[in-house]
């Protein structure tokens, strides 16, 4: 094992907190959401007033959703005004051809085994940044907007319905929006598989302790082992 | 029937007492969701405004809207109302036929230019110049455009006229299109439902007659008074939904107990209509009340969001019937397989490199 030659503080506390709250919220939202779509348990025969079977799952889904939204907004604030060079939007310009240029191409080539050396990034590499933009940023925004639109259906003319109700005609009706929200929730397991695989692989290949960095905040540069 | 009669004139001619007339006005205000203080306005309008001329066209449809409209169980009220809107043209109900009837339509269009209401039941075929729906020797597409040109407003009766319904369900061989896709320059009230509730239909006309304006519409162009909330929100089985007490099959004990039909594919939670409030046939019942899940007939594209007895719609995916969960599981499987393959290649490559390094050393 090589000697640790440098310790870099990459993920500051707000980023780490965001990461874990987000992870827990998304898992909870996925589980409760799937339960709402297909409730498994039926209480025994009796009076409805004694049970909260569905109401409780829906309540959990809504509470966690609002924590998720608050956490997302906090991360947005941190990206824009946090002045954290590993957590900002700054360098991410997917609309610009220059962004798709050398660094992105090199990283893709490396993932596709077309080049032997791994480009090394302290923060997110360009491919990771794109994946996060698509899944975490766009995905969260879609799930939040569609979720609030459906939440607003409970109270027509209220806050959620007034601000996000336009999502319903946009997607051709309430049922279709429910369907797409349901389909969208599958982004989570897909993302989790890719995310965990990429992290563990980078840790094994590059030995940058990226896995533990989301708990400790530190990544390491390891000296190549002298043979 | 005399022209320019008011509602009150017709009532009087038919021997309805003033007391019953006022009752009718109060009831109309209730159906319109108006406060009691608005009743005098309705009475005033009914007594003084000439009846609103209505031209009722039938396109690609099944006439269930008309059936709903005429088959109401408050005969003393709805039947009178049916006689009173001055239904000047309706190719289904008219005694006249052929040229006589078409002349009548043109006469109304000229005499009440810009004042009549065009009620459209069904929609128009747009493919091949609309040849798939011919009425009175012309395509319904042409008749619709011609009659809409001088109308004050259009009422799109039923899901066909509002959203397309079964005619424009996939694959839509006749190119059937809802009215709002064909007529762009007139205010359109959508009264979806297959069919809509009769009180909702008469309520919309009464609103126009009373105030001279269209009712408040929601984002999909439906009157808010009747389509603001979902069936689910006013459903008498909602308590069972919240409790998580669901019917699992039509034979189980829960069915007999009248539990929530959510798991039987009830579309009540995504369907905006008044069925659970006003109900059908004079408040007798509505589908859920009779133990059948709501099929969401007043929602856009409800035919393509089936099956009716499942929560999750089936959609075509990779050439098969699939649903959101199946698509999700396939995608997750693909991601996992991709990660595993990538890991394998990484391992092989690493092993090769190490071998290579060892050889260099040797």
């Amino acid at each position: 094992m090589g000697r640790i030659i440098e310790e870099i503080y990459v993920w500051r506390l707000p980023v780490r907190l965001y990461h874990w709250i987000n992870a827990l919220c998304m898992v909870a939202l996925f589980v409760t959401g799937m339960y709402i779509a297909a409730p498994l348990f039926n209480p025994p025969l009796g009076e409805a007033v004694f049970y909260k079977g569905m109401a409780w799952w829906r309540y959990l889904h809504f509470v966690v959703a609002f924590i998720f939204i608050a956490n997302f907004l906090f991360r947005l604030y941190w990206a824009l005004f946090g002045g954290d060079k590993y957590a900002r939007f700054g360098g991410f310009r997917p609309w610009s051809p220059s962004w798709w240029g050398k660094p992105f191409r090199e990283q893709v080539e490396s993932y596709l085994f077309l080049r032997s050396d791994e480009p090394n990034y302290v923060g997110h590499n360009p491919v990771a940044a794109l994946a996060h933009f698509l899944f975490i940023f766009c995905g969260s925004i879609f799930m939040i907007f569609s979720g609030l639109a459906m939440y607003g259906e409970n109270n027509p003319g209220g806050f959620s319905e007034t601000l996000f109700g336009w999502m319903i005609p946009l997607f051709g009706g309430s049922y279709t929006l429910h369907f797409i929200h349901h389909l969208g929730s599958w982004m989570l397991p897909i993302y989790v598989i890719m995310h965990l695989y990429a992290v563990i692989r980078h840790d094994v290949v590059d030995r940058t302790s990226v896995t533990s960095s989301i708990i400790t905040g530190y990544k390491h540069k390891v000296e190549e082992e002298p043979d | 029937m005399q022209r320019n009669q008011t509602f009150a004139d017709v009532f009087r001619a038919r021997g309805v007492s003033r007391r019953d007339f006022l009752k009718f006005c109060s009831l109309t205000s209730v159906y319109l969701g108006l406060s009691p203080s608005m009743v005098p306005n309705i009475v005033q309008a009914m007594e003084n405004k000439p009846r609103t001329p209505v031209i009722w066209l039938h396109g690609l449809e099944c006439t269930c809207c008309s059936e709903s409209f005429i088959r109401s169980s408050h005969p003393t009220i709805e039947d009178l109302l049916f006689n009173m809107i001055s239904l000047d043209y309706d190719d289904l109900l008219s005694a006249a036929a052929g040229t006589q009837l078409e002349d009548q339509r043109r006469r109304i269009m000229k005499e009440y230019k810009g004042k009549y209401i065009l009620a459209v039941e069904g929609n128009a075929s747009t493919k091949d110049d609309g040849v798939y729906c011919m009425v009175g020797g012309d395509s319904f597409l042409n008749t619709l455009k011609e009659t809409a040109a001088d109308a004050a407003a259009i009422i799109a009766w039923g899901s066909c006229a509002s959203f397309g319904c079964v005619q424009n369900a996939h694959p839509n061989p006749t190119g059937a299109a809802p009215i709002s896709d064909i007529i762009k320059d007139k205010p359109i009230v959508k009264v979806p439902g297959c069919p809509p509730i009769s009180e909702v239909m008469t309520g919309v006309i009464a609103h126009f007659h009373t105030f001279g304006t269209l009712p408040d519409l929601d984002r999909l162009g439906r009157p808010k008074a009747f389509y603001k909330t979902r069936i689910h929100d006013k459903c008498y089985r909602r308590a069972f939904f919240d409790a998580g007490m669901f019917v699992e099959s039509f034979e189980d004990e829960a069915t007999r107990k009248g539990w929530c039909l959510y798991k039987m594919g009830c579309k009540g939670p995504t369907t905006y209509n008044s069925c659970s409030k006003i109900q059908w046939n004079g408040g007798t019942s509505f589908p859920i009340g009779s133990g059948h899940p709501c099929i969401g007939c007043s929602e856009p594209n409800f035919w393509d969001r089936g099956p009716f007895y499942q929560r999750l719609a089936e959609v075509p995916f990779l050439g098969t019937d699939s649903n959101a969960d199946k698509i999700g599981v396939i995608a997750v499987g693909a991601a996992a397989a991709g990660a595993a393959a990538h890991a394998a290649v990484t391992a092989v490559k690493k092993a090769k490199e190490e071998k290579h390094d060892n050889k260099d050393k040797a």
Side-chain angles (χ1 to χ4, degrees):
Chain A
M1 198 64 187
R3 206 157 42 86
I4 291 171
I5 50 171
E6 200 185 345
E7 208 173 39
I8 315 155
Y9 190 41
V10 186
W11 314 125
R12 293 168 65 179
L13 189 62
V15 178
R16 272 137 60 205
L17 272 179
Y18 160 79
H19 174 274
W20 288 111
I21 293 173
N22 196 42
L24 289 175
C25 282
M26 287 200 292
V27 170
L29 286 170
F30 184 79
V31 171
T32 52
M34 284 294 161
Y35 187 89
I36 292 166
L40 284 171
F41 312 116
N42 236 358
L45 298 173
E47 256 195 272
V49 72
F50 298 119
Y51 304 106
K52 291 266 180 287
M54 195 67 163
W56 182 239
W57 286 92
R58 291 178 72 237
Y59 179 73
L60 272 180
H61 193 76
F62 300 150
V63 167
V64 176
F66 282 113
I67 297 172
F68 172 74
I69 293 168
N71 194 43
F72 182 75
L73 291 175
F74 166 73
R75 181 67 178 82
L76 221 53
Y77 163 81
W78 189 252
L80 293 171
F81 309 109
D84 180 343
K85 74 169 172 173
Y86 298 120
R88 68 198 165 98
F89 285 141
F92 183 66
R93 286 192 191 82
W95 54 87
S96 139
S98 71
W99 188 87
W100 297 99
K102 200 161 166 267
F104 185 82
R105 211 181 50 237
E106 279 181 4
Q107 187 63 49
V108 171
E109 283 171 356
S110 155
Y111 278 135
L112 294 175
F113 309 108
L114 295 174
R115 51 187 306 132
S116 51
D117 58 322
E118 288 274 342
N120 212 345
Y121 289 88
V122 176
H124 291 125
N125 74 51
V127 175
L130 184 69
H132 284 116
F133 173 73
L134 291 177
F135 279 91
I136 302 298
F137 185 77
C138 297
S140 295
I141 284 185
F142 173 74
M143 294 306 273
I144 289 169
F145 277 36
S146 56
L148 285 175
M150 296 189 297
Y151 185 70
E153 290 187 289
N154 295 307
N155 181 20
F159 179 80
S160 277
E161 199 269 344
T162 309
L163 284 181
F164 300 98
W166 52 268
M167 290 287 282
I168 292 172
L170 183 69
F171 285 87
S174 174
Y175 186 80
T176 315
L177 189 65
H178 278 73
F179 185 87
I180 298 174
H181 189 81
H182 189 139
L183 193 60
S185 68
W186 283 98
M187 282 191 297
L188 173 72
I190 295 168
Y191 173 81
V192 166
I193 287 173
M194 301 201 312
H195 180 60
L196 290 184
Y197 170 68
V199 166
I200 292 168
R201 182 182 177 277
H202 273 289
D203 222 357
V204 171
V205 174
D206 311 337
R207 288 175 289 162
T208 52
S209 42
V210 57
T211 313
S212 62
S213 72
I214 200 60
I215 297 170
T216 63
Y218 287 95
K219 277 190 182 179
H220 299 106
K221 271 199 178 143
V222 183
E223 193 182 31
E224 281 303 314
E225 202 170 333
D227 293 316
Chain B
M1 207 184 275
Q2 275 181 308
R3 274 186 226 148
N4 298 328
Q5 275 177 312
T6 65
F7 274 71
D9 291 337
V10 178
F11 273 117
R12 231 168 278 129
R14 284 167 180 268
V16 174
S17 68
R18 177 147 181 90
R19 185 181 172 81
D20 280 342
F21 168 67
L22 293 176
K23 272 195 212 163
F24 161 76
C25 292
S26 317
L27 216 86
T28 306
S29 77
V30 171
Y31 283 143
L32 288 172
L34 302 172
S35 73
S37 62
M38 295 299 282
V39 174
N41 292 37
I42 294 176
V43 174
Q44 213 262 346
M46 296 281 180
E47 283 186 323
N48 298 308
K49 287 191 183 172
R51 291 169 309 135
T52 312
V54 174
I55 294 182
W56 190 311
L57 293 180
H58 297 259
L60 283 174
E61 49 99 344
C62 72
T63 317
C64 75
C65 301
S66 290
E67 289 287 350
S68 170
F69 195 60
I70 62 175
R71 191 160 286 133
S72 57
S73 56
H74 299 306
T76 53
I77 293 160
E78 274 93 352
D79 276 6
L80 289 174
L81 187 62
F82 170 60
N83 286 323
M84 285 183 315
I85 52 167
S86 186
L87 187 57
D88 292 326
Y89 174 95
D90 185 331
D91 43 7
L92 183 80
L93 300 173
S94 296
T99 318
Q100 273 183 317
L101 186 61
E102 293 307 305
D103 286 347
Q104 163 77 352
R105 177 169 62 86
R106 297 207 174 85
R107 188 178 63 75
I108 299 297
M109 283 165 58
K110 217 185 281 166
E111 264 178 41
Y112 296 97
K113 193 169 178 170
K115 287 194 184 108
Y116 62 89
I117 288 184
L118 173 62
V120 187
E121 189 175 343
N123 54 29
S125 151
T126 56
K127 217 173 184 179
D128 305 325
D129 293 329
V131 74
Y132 303 110
C133 186
M134 303 293 286
V135 180
D138 200 356
S139 76
F140 182 66
L141 185 64
N142 285 341
T143 311
L144 175 65
K145 282 180 180 166
E146 183 190 310
T147 319
D150 293 328
I154 299 175
I155 300 177
W157 285 144
S159 291
C160 309
S162 302
F163 301 128
C165 206
V166 72
Q167 297 91 311
N168 84 344
H170 182 77
N172 192 4
T174 64
I179 307 307
S180 54
D181 284 9
I182 298 164
I183 311 294
K184 303 278 188 192
D185 56 346
K186 294 281 170 188
I188 298 178
V189 184
K190 293 178 177 177
V191 187
C194 196
I197 304 167
S198 58
E199 284 80 4
V200 171
M201 300 174 82
T202 50
V204 170
I205 292 177
H207 188 286
F208 184 84
H209 180 74
T210 309
F211 300 107
T213 55
L214 296 178
D216 262 3
L217 303 180
D218 69 2
R219 288 192 177 88
L220 284 166
R222 304 169 295 197
K224 276 186 182 168
F226 305 109
Y227 294 92
K228 194 178 182 182
T229 57
R230 298 166 300 175
I231 289 182
H232 187 59
D233 296 316
K234 301 268 162 67
C235 183
Y236 77 106
R237 297 192 183 198
R238 178 65 187 261
F240 294 108
F241 172 84
D242 288 335
M245 298 162 91
F246 300 109
V247 171
E248 307 264 3
S249 88
F250 286 123
E251 286 88 39
D252 66 5
E253 185 62 19
T255 306
R256 286 186 279 277
K257 299 264 192 234
W259 286 8
C260 175
L261 294 158
Y262 181 73
K263 284 173 90 169
M264 301 309 292
C266 183
K267 305 291 188 293
T270 52
T271 303
Y272 289 78
N273 208 334
S274 292
C275 302
S276 52
K277 266 186 294 190
I278 297 174
Q279 304 201 352
W280 288 81
N281 301 318
T284 308
S285 186
F286 70 115
I288 297 166
S290 305
H292 192 278
C294 167
I295 63 172
C297 75
S298 56
E299 284 293 304
N301 303 318
F302 76 99
W303 290 102
D304 293 330
R305 303 289 180 268
F308 291 155
Y309 301 102
Q310 280 177 27
R311 265 310 301 158
L312 206 51
E314 282 185 0
V315 288
F317 179 66
L318 300 176
T320 60
D321 274 348
S322 201
N323 65 35
D325 285 339
K326 283 186 198 157
I327 296 171
V329 168
I330 291 169
V332 170
H342 200 270
V345 176
T346 309
V348 169
K349 253 196 117 181
K350 241 194 153 183
K352 252 187 200 166
E353 269 166 24
E354 267 162 31
K355 225 180 187 179
H356 199 70
D357 288 351
N358 289 345
K359 256 186 204 161
D360 283 354
K361 265 188 279 173

